[in-house]
Amino acid sequence: MPLSAGTNLGPYEVTAAIGAGGMGEVYRARDSRLNREVAIKVLPASFSSDAERCHRFEQEALAAAA
């Protein structure tokens, strides 16, 4: 389910779609707590029950944060 600009996810407000790929959809958002731009990746619901995909996503997040 695509998110639209103005959608709030906790302290994050989606401002635009960036793209989509095999792991999910990526959005630009504003973090209201720290007043910064962030990227949010939304995974398909089916990924939550797949331990290998969850692990790959976690590795991707760690690499991006490094």
Side-chain angles (χ1 to χ4, degrees):
M1 173 177 135
L3 300 176
S4 58
T7 299
N8 289 305
L9 301 170
Y12 308 104
E13 181 181 350
V14 173
T15 57
I18 296 175
M23 289 284 291
E25 300 167 342
V26 182
Y27 298 90
R28 179 183 314 273
R30 187 86 190 142
D31 178 348
S32 63
R33 293 175 304 181
L34 300 175
N35 195 30
R36 63 181 179 165
E37 295 288 317
V38 298
I40 295 175
K41 182 174 276 190
V42 179
L43 303 178
S46 61
F47 280 29
S48 65
S49 60
D50 185 330
E52 179 58 31
R53 283 187 170 159
C54 286
H55 178 72
R56 280 192 306 210
F57 175 70
E58 192 172 314
Q59 292 300 110
E60 179 184 303
L62 290 170

